[in-house]
Amino acid sequence: MCNVKSGSETYAKLYPEFSSDGVLRLGNLVPDFSADTTMGPMKSFHEWIEGKWAILFSHPADFTPVCTTEIGRLALKYKDLEKKGVKLATLSADPVESHNKWLEDVVAHCENNVTIDFPIIADPTREISVKYGMLDPNNLDLENLPLTIRAVFIIGPDKKLKLSLNYPASVGRNMDEIVRCVDALQLSAKHSVATPANWPYNHDSIGKKGWAFLLPTVTPEDAKTHFPDHHSCKVPSGVDYLRLTDVSKLNLNN
């Protein structure tokens, strides 16, 4: 068991709680809001999070083809995310009545037998979308399809933005990648590690598949004491910064 304090706490202090220009960025406290949803009124998004991890997944409108498949695929991941302590909500710039009709199509179109067990937030005024930087305020009152409202926000228990992804209307979102991001964020939050590119399929060529890097905040002394089996990758610079550790040996429940 590793007792090294997570370096992610040190890194978190580098982010301001609020941006100086009002634009939502990584590390910022996400905006609170109240809204109607397919599961009843949401009085406060912050209260809904309740100290858990959360994902806010947005759509420009109901009855759009790509979004229809995305809701279905999200439904297939819901139980897995729930086990990881993650709450899930989606948002669409239409009213609840439209959402409920649309969800009938979502369930019918999905190849698997799914139920939609998470709320679909109504944002017909697009005010929430503006708060989250998905829509330019000058486009708030336009009747055109707000194609920029296609984002994924992963939010920590501290209600701060940990990761955001933006997609065009022509590219469907990959739910396996979103779950992978959650796994990586939770791993880093608990332990002083960072996941390499393509994790958990990284470094297979040197027999270290799925291993993660120790953060620079881990001193050489702590690396030896708490990660005795870590592997330092040799590089021409001679700098010992590519330090891999077997995450399967970490206590992932602490």
Side-chain angles (χ1 to χ4, degrees), residues 31 33 42 47 55 66 80 96 169 174 187 193 214 222 252:
F33 60 83
M42 181 180 287
E47 291 180 9
I55 296 176
V66 174
D80 186 24
V96 169
N174 186 309
L187 180 65
V193 297
L214 296 180
D222 280 341
L252 302 182

Side-chain angles (χ1 to χ4, degrees), residues 155-177:
I155 303 158
D158 56 1
K159 303 178 181 67
K160 292 182 179 179
L161 182 62
K162 305 303 181 183
L163 181 147
S164 63
L165 300 166
N166 290 282
Y167 287 75
S170 58
V171 179
R173 286 165 276 194
N174 186 309
M175 306 311 151
D176 290 331
E177 169 62 9

Side-chain angles (χ1 to χ4, degrees), residues 88-105:
L88 175 63
T90 65
L91 173 149
S92 177
D94 279 318
V96 169
E97 294 78 11
S98 175
H99 293 350
N100 287 327
K101 293 179 182 178
W102 177 38
L103 290 182
E104 294 178 4
D105 289 356

Side-chain angles (χ1 to χ4, degrees), residues 192-235:
S192 288
V193 297
T195 53
N198 296 336
W199 179 84
Y201 305 107
N202 56 291
H203 293 92
D204 194 16
S205 62
I206 60 172
K208 311 298 181 186
K209 183 178 180 181
W211 287 33
F213 287 124
L214 296 180
L215 291 177
T217 54
V218 179
T219 66
E221 293 74 21
D222 280 341
K224 291 178 182 178
T225 301
H226 300 288
F227 305 93
D229 297 325
H230 77 274
H231 169 81
S232 292
C233 300
K234 304 302 180 184
V235 287

